[in-house]
Structures are given as C-alpha cells and as structure tokens.
Amino acid sequence: NVLSSIFLAECVLKNISWGCRVYISDSWNILDFVVVVSAVIEWIPFIPFGGLSFLRLFRVLRPLRSPNSVPEMKVLVNTTVGAVPRLSNVAALGGFIFLVF
C-alpha cells in the first residue's frame, strides 16, 4: 500500500502540473495510470475486484523507462532485445536435448 500511495501521489502531481492531455499523451504515463487505478480500485473494500491484481505486474515495466534518460543504457537494452530472436536456435537445441535426455 505504501508504494501504491507513492505512485498515486506521483500520478496526481503529474496530472496537476502537466494537465490531463499532456499526461495521457505519453505511453509510459498511461501504463502508470492503469497500475495506479487498479491499485486504488483494490483499496475499496466493498467492490469485489480482486481479479485486477494481475495489472500490478505491469510495474515490472517501469524500469524500462530508464533507457530514455540514460543513453548508454538505451544501447545496452537495444542490443539485448536484438539478440533475443537469435537465441531461438539455442533454445530449440536446449529443448531437444532436454527432451531426449
């Protein structure tokens, strides 16, 4: 609840300072808004929306915002993401070996 409160405060302050249209124009802010709204809905005791807790998993995506502020990190993330498709052969070979042995 403490982290959700901090995210809620961040969301409210950004909405006040930037305005709603500017805040929603950034896709990362939309992600933050969805996470905050799902947390706030779960705080309401008489509404049975316990099934929204999976939306909190999107908080894992928040660290991906850092490459925008650190250029060297952006190169590292792009290289890592570019290497993932090439790992399919290695994964297939590993799966075959696991299946055989």
Side-chain angles (χ1 to χ4, degrees):
N1 284 341
V2 174
L3 287 176
S4 296
S5 301
I6 292 171
F7 290 142
L8 177 63
E10 176 192 11
C11 179
V12 168
L13 290 174
K14 281 185 177 180
N15 259 325
I16 291 171
S17 64
W18 293 351
C20 188
R21 289 183 191 255
V22 177
Y23 179 75
I24 298 297
S25 66
D26 185 21
S27 59
W28 291 110
N29 288 336
I30 293 172
L31 173 70
D32 289 344
F33 184 74
V34 168
V35 170
V36 167
V37 167
S38 67
V40 169
I41 287 175
E42 288 183 1
W43 287 347
I44 302 172
F46 54 86
I47 296 180
F49 281 112
L52 292 178
S53 61
F54 73 94
L55 290 176
R56 289 186 178 185
L57 291 175
F58 289 118
R59 287 185 185 164
V60 173
L61 298 175
R62 287 182 65 98
L64 292 177
R65 294 173 72 175
S66 63
N68 294 333
S69 60
V70 181
E72 294 84 12
M73 182 73 110
K74 190 171 190 172
V75 172
L76 182 64
V77 169
N78 287 338
T79 304
T80 305
V81 169
V84 169
R86 295 184 179 140
L87 292 175
S88 62
N89 293 334
V90 175
L93 180 64
F96 178 72
I97 291 173
F98 180 76
L99 184 67
V100 169
F101 297 107

